[in-house]
Amino acid sequence: MSSATRALNGWTAVLASMGMVSFADPTAGLPRPQFATVNGVKLHYLDWGGKGETLLFLTSLGGSADDFHPLATRLGDRFHAIGLTRRGQGRSDKPVAGYDTSTLVEDIRAFLDLKKIKRATLVGYSLAGNELTAFATLYPKRVEKLVYLDAAYDLPQNAELGRKAGLDLRLPGADDVTLALIARSNEYHPDYRRIRAPALGFFVTYDEAPKSALWDEATQLRLLAYWNDYGKAYRREQIERFRKEMRDGRVVELHNTTHGGFVFEEEQQAILAREMRAFLLNSAR
């Protein structure tokens, strides 16, 4: 995945959290691409095999199932890892509609039905946090556990704070589908109090104001003002909300990385795999 595509992994406050990072090709040894047609839409997925509990990886904005290859291979000895690329992204079909959270959740349910998977642990990156929360609320018996990869954020609140700060962060190269996903994701307020499954939340925590090479100097100054006035407090509030509202929730904070980069960095992958393994093998359900 190119750095330009990774740049679509966040927006507004989350966009302000991104750094442009170059990564080695993580796709060596990828399983062959497969496709499943659900709700009239052909979705791309990867199946890394393995025995045990099913882990269904759900992608970030602009992402692909390929992005989870390094993490999936680290967990393949104890889990059956599958990565699903949502509609409108990567090699999945790009219909003109269906980018609201409810429809995306139904795509996940239909995919699990097609694969005859009764229960799974959902692992969602960034935007996919909405899908995790909504799916676990609607289909609690289908969920074993939840893992949020910097994904447990109230995005409408985030967008409103960006508007207050006068931010207008346009995504370079964003197509209509990506813009629709952003707009529809900003309609969904998560309610963790209704979730019964154990949940692990990873949060990228910045020790100083994040920067991005995407923006000119004037925008960088607005981002800094946003960070000082809203951003730090917003991210801390989201972490504490997760702790308070999630009935069986655990938090791991990640440092020295970015929202758009941590899944692709070897050092962070080791932390993710270690913490996920401990959570998945030891949490009661």
Side-chain angles (χ1 to χ4, degrees), residues 68-253:
F68 298 112
H69 180 58
L71 188 54
T73 54
R74 286 176 181 264
L75 296 166
D77 61 321
R78 294 295 298 270
F79 304 98
H80 177 194
I82 301 173
L84 181 64
T85 305
R86 76 170 59 77
R87 64 169 65 199
Q89 309 272 266
R91 283 170 280 185
S92 291
D93 281 351
K94 298 172 175 58
V96 296
Y99 298 105
D100 57 288
T101 299
S102 296
T103 300
L104 298 176
V105 163
E106 288 309 308
D107 286 349
I108 296 166
R109 180 200 56 75
F111 177 78
L112 291 175
D113 288 349
L114 184 66
K115 299 294 290 181
K116 302 187 185 316
I117 299 171
K118 293 182 179 180
R119 289 168 66 87
T121 287
L122 304 184
V123 184
Y125 179 19
S126 189
L127 175 78
N130 283 355
E131 291 151 73
L132 264 64
T133 302
F135 189 95
T137 301
L138 286 170
Y139 301 110
K141 294 183 179 179
R142 305 294 300 271
V143 176
E144 192 68 39
K145 301 178 184 74
L146 300 169
V147 178
Y148 292 80
L149 300 175
D150 209 32
Y153 295 99
D154 188 314
L155 298 179
Q157 180 184 350
N158 177 44
E160 178 59 28
L161 291 176
R163 285 189 287 270
K164 285 183 178 179
L167 291 177
D168 182 18
L169 301 181
R170 302 189 182 276
L171 292 174
D175 57 18
D176 289 343
V177 166
T178 299
L179 295 175
L181 279 166
I182 293 173
R184 299 311 301 267
S185 71
N186 286 340
E187 298 171 354
Y188 181 81
H189 290 280
D191 184 356
Y192 307 123
R193 294 168 297 184
R194 300 175 62 190
I195 292 177
R196 298 296 177 261
L200 174 63
F202 291 97
F203 291 86
V204 173
T205 300
Y206 296 90
D207 301 313
E208 59 182 22
K211 300 176 183 178
S212 173
L214 288 172
W215 318 121
D216 59 24
E217 184 176 356
T219 303
Q220 293 280 13
L221 290 174
R222 288 195 296 273
L223 288 173
L224 181 60
Y226 166 86
W227 180 251
N228 291 332
D229 293 342
Y230 304 108
K232 286 186 291 187
Y234 168 80
R235 294 183 79 84
R236 180 51 54 186
E237 176 187 278
Q238 297 298 297
I239 294 171
E240 296 310 317
R241 178 183 176 185
F242 186 90
R243 291 186 201 273
K244 179 180 178 181
E245 294 186 3
M246 193 70 76
R247 174 177 292 194
D248 187 3
R250 306 166 198 196
V251 168
V252 175
E253 296 188 34

